[in-house]
Amino acid sequence: MASGLHQSDFKNPVVRWIDARLPVFTMMEKEYGTFPTPRNFNYLWNFGALAMVTLLIMIATGIFLAMNYTPHVNHAFDSVERIMRDVNYGWLLRYVHANGASMFFIVVYVHIWRGLYYGSYKAPRELLWMLGVVIFLLMMATAFMGYVLPWGQMSFWGATVITNLFSAIPLVGDSIVTWLWGGFSVDNPTLNRFFSLHYLLPFVIVGVVFLHVAALHITGSNNPLGIDPKGPQDTVPFHPYYTVKDSVGLVAYFVVFAVLVFFFPNLLGHPDNYIPANPLVTPPHIVPEWYFLPYYAILRAVPNKLGGVVLMFSSILILFVLPWLDTSPVRSMRFRPIARIALLLWTVAFFVLMWCGSQPPEGIAVVLARIGTAYYFAYFLVILPLLGRLERTLPLPESISRPVLRGGGPLPAGAAVKPMEKA
Amino acid sequence: MRRPLLHKLAAAFGAAALLAVAPAAPVRAAGEAPPLPDTRFSFEGLFGTFDRASAQRGLQVYMEVCANCHSLRQLSYRNLTGIGLSDAQVRAIAATVQVQDGPNDEGQMFERPGRPSDRFRRPFPNDAAARAANNGALPPDLSVIVKARAGGADYIYALLTGYADPPAGVEVMEGMHYNRYFPGNQIAMAPPLNDGQVTFHDGTRATVDQMARDVTTFLAWAAEPELEERRALGVKVVLFLTILGGLVYAVKRKVWAEVH
């Protein structure tokens, strides 16, 4: 083997030739083949892979939709209907893409919740977590702009409401809104730039996902016990153990996805978006897509516009500093009896806020939104910092392999050794 | 013992995420319309299909009644094969309307009989003309009306049959009509259907209820012409995934058998 070439172990001469010059096969083998992964994942650890697959589905369907879509205020609505009626399987492409956005958020919410429950944001995974929050923000921007493209009533008025939030910024707010719109109202320039950015941002997400995965493969995965693997007896190679386990989750996920797409394609949409955008007619009740409702509720919980906007953005941005707000050295909530309850209440608050966001801002919805908002922030700013000091955590297990193996005895010979043969 | 709890929680979280959005769907202005009557349509349920005869009668109602004011601009006459009409029937229906074409070699627009490839003829050249002819109100396009209203087909049927005398004390504005199901109860559209208004080719008695049901079926098809194909494909996809899921799970069990 000539000097300067990578020392490749692959037998196939073609693979070996390439791998020696560009060791992508070695990298894939290392990161997705032999990559040592804690042996005790539950099915919540499927959701990262599910999110990755959903991102690819969204990009694939989106590329074909873009071939048939016309980003012009006079043609956007009709071009979407043409996709539904005249493009071969256009209805399938569009329904997969539209419901895919909802599925993407369901998956990412579960993925984030798993991180919250098992303390995946804690050292040494802070940067991994923060990259995840960046992905989440990019997703929100992408989804928002994508919802504008069909140019229905909710597209138009949603865009108007959300872009107008920036007018709350003192002094320069109105100028910023004009700059965002490319004019003095949501109009054709706005639609054009949203289309452009909606096509661009998913590829930015791909880039950040790459960093997210790269960071993951430095620290290794967290696990339901939140303790570090102590050696090979605590891990299994990613392939075939987690490739097959992710496949199980993926097929189950596709069933849910398919039921939504084929039988209830408009369940999560709003009927008003089948009415072409009309700047002269305001819908009686403007609501964002379901996945934005909790933040919409936080926005409206504050009687002051700037205050509401600040609080709404803070509700996401606070996740960036979560690794430092949670002062407990114990990662998994399995061993944190009080924090666990606090997190479950936080989850309830999230759903309560989601409901409040769907309601007109009056009566009980406002009261609940304020309570929900208060608890949402209290969890991060008060409860977690205090619990880190006050909570008596349960004793941690000695290692991953002990509680997992039945009887908790020493490792049966061969169990952990055999997988290593894959390498 | 903690694991199963978490599994259940994970499942519940997913289910709750789906359920929690139900209230996100349309919210009607408070305290106005009564609950919609639950009409049984042929296309309801997971495996429903469009009643072709009903949809064809509905087409007749649309062409003879609704089309005087309401456009159906997303549809072409050729699409009508989707409700069981033959090519010859579609050609004949298209030929009953005059459509504008052009410009011709002299640069003039001209009228000619419709062809299957033509879009449904619009009753008014533009929205301003439509408003001018309708007391200032704009008759909405009906292409996706069933998808564009909370309650869908049930709402359209209820609206068409929901005309009544206003209850005591309710003042109906000049040129408006009382309708139990219209948001605000005052609708510009005069009661469009009257008993015996159309003569159905198949001899069905043209009651208001029958016509409303038929035209709703037609409009539901117009809004979702892919519905039958979609559900049929969905059944295959879900069956395939279920079998695949069983196989993948078996493989998973086998792979993990030596570790557990």
Side-chain angles (χ1 to χ4, degrees), chain B residues 62-218:
Chain B
Y62 169 76
M63 301 262 306
E64 292 181 19
V65 184
C66 319
N68 290 314
C69 301
H70 292 278
S71 56
L72 198 63
R73 59 206 220 92
Q74 307 292 353
L75 276 83
S76 303
Y77 293 107
R78 64 180 164 79
N79 298 135
L80 290 174
T81 52
I83 54 170
L85 296 178
S86 68
D87 288 346
Q89 284 171 310
V90 170
R91 262 196 298 277
I93 289 171
T96 60
V97 297
Q98 290 289 310
V99 299
Q100 194 182 52
D101 201 350
N104 62 14
D105 292 348
E106 283 87 46
Q108 303 300 313
M109 303 305 281
F110 60 93
E111 299 257 311
R112 60 161 174 78
R115 293 194 285 251
S117 58
D118 286 319
R119 294 290 175 108
F120 269 73
R121 196 179 73 102
R122 300 163 72 165
F124 301 105
N126 52 58
D127 285 357
R131 282 186 191 279
N134 286 284
N135 204 12
L138 178 66
D141 181 82
L142 298 184
S143 310
V144 284
I145 199 79
V146 171
K147 286 201 279 190
R149 292 293 180 274
D154 283 344
Y155 171 75
I156 302 300
Y157 171 84
L159 183 87
L160 289 173
T161 55
Y163 286 90
D165 292 327
V170 173
E171 192 74 25
V172 177
M173 286 187 297
E174 180 73 25
M176 302 297 268
H177 309 272
Y178 186 83
N179 189 302
R180 274 173 297 179
Y181 298 101
F182 191 71
N185 295 127
Q186 304 207 19
I187 184 168
M189 176 169 71
L193 302 173
N194 300 292
D195 284 335
Q197 190 162 0
V198 299
T199 309
F200 284 131
H201 302 314
D202 64 2
T204 306
R205 264 190 63 219
T207 60
V208 168
D209 180 83
Q210 184 68 42
M211 287 184 290
R213 183 178 289 271
D214 290 342
V215 81
T216 303
T217 301
F218 171 69

Side-chain angles (χ1 to χ4, degrees), chain A residues 153-402:
Chain A
Q153 273 290 68
M154 278 301 155
S155 299
F156 179 87
W157 290 100
T160 303
V161 169
I162 300 302
T163 48
N164 257 314
L165 294 180
F166 292 90
S167 70
I169 301 170
L171 299 175
V172 292
D174 286 332
S175 307
I176 287 180
V177 172
T178 306
W179 177 72
L180 287 174
W181 285 342
F184 299 100
S185 66
V186 175
D187 207 337
N188 202 49
T190 325
L191 180 59
N192 283 178
R193 63 189 55 192
F194 277 21
F195 178 56
S196 173
L197 293 173
H198 183 71
Y199 207 117
L200 167 70
L201 287 186
F203 296 95
V204 178
I205 293 177
V206 169
V208 185
V209 165
F210 182 82
L211 296 178
H212 189 68
V213 173
L216 171 71
H217 284 211
I218 297 296
T219 62
S221 296
N222 187 24
N223 64 79
L225 294 174
I227 56 175
D228 294 327
K230 302 279 191 298
Q233 73 280 8
D234 287 347
T235 64
V236 290
F238 189 82
H239 181 74
Y241 293 97
Y242 285 113
T243 43
V244 76
K245 192 163 181 175
D246 281 347
S247 300
V248 172
L250 193 63
V251 176
Y253 169 66
F254 278 161
V255 171
V256 177
F257 201 151
V259 167
L260 202 57
V261 165
F262 290 105
F263 297 104
F264 306 100
N266 293 305
L267 176 71
L268 303 176
H270 195 293
D272 277 19
N273 227 26
Y274 281 108
I275 303 171
N278 185 347
L280 300 178
V281 179
T282 315
H285 184 49
I286 302 173
V287 283
E289 288 280 80
W290 69 266
Y291 37 80
F292 291 139
L293 289 174
Y295 315 104
Y296 194 52
I298 291 174
L299 169 77
R300 297 188 307 177
V302 187
N304 172 289
K305 184 175 176 182
L306 180 59
V309 172
V310 168
L311 218 55
M312 183 182 73
F313 283 108
S314 307
S315 67
I316 311 284
L317 298 180
I318 200 167
L319 295 174
F320 279 113
V321 288
L322 174 60
W324 295 275
L325 290 173
D326 185 352
T327 50
S328 172
V330 176
R331 293 197 191 104
S332 174
M333 296 271 180
R334 277 190 189 179
F335 309 105
R336 303 186 62 190
I338 302 173
R340 183 169 64 216
I341 294 166
L343 177 63
L344 292 179
L345 284 176
W346 180 89
T347 313
V348 171
F350 186 83
F351 284 113
V352 167
L353 285 171
M354 191 180 271
W355 178 80
C356 294
S358 73
Q359 299 300 306
E362 57 199 22
I364 187 76
V366 177
V367 179
L368 282 175
R370 287 184 181 157
I371 297 171
T373 304
Y375 187 79
Y376 182 101
F377 284 98
Y379 174 76
F380 293 116
L381 294 174
V382 181
I383 296 174
L384 282 183
L386 283 182
L387 280 186
R389 293 190 182 82
L390 304 178
E391 188 178 32
R392 273 193 58 179
T393 56
L394 305 177
L396 293 176
E398 216 172 292
S399 74
I400 291 174
S401 53
R402 281 189 172 268

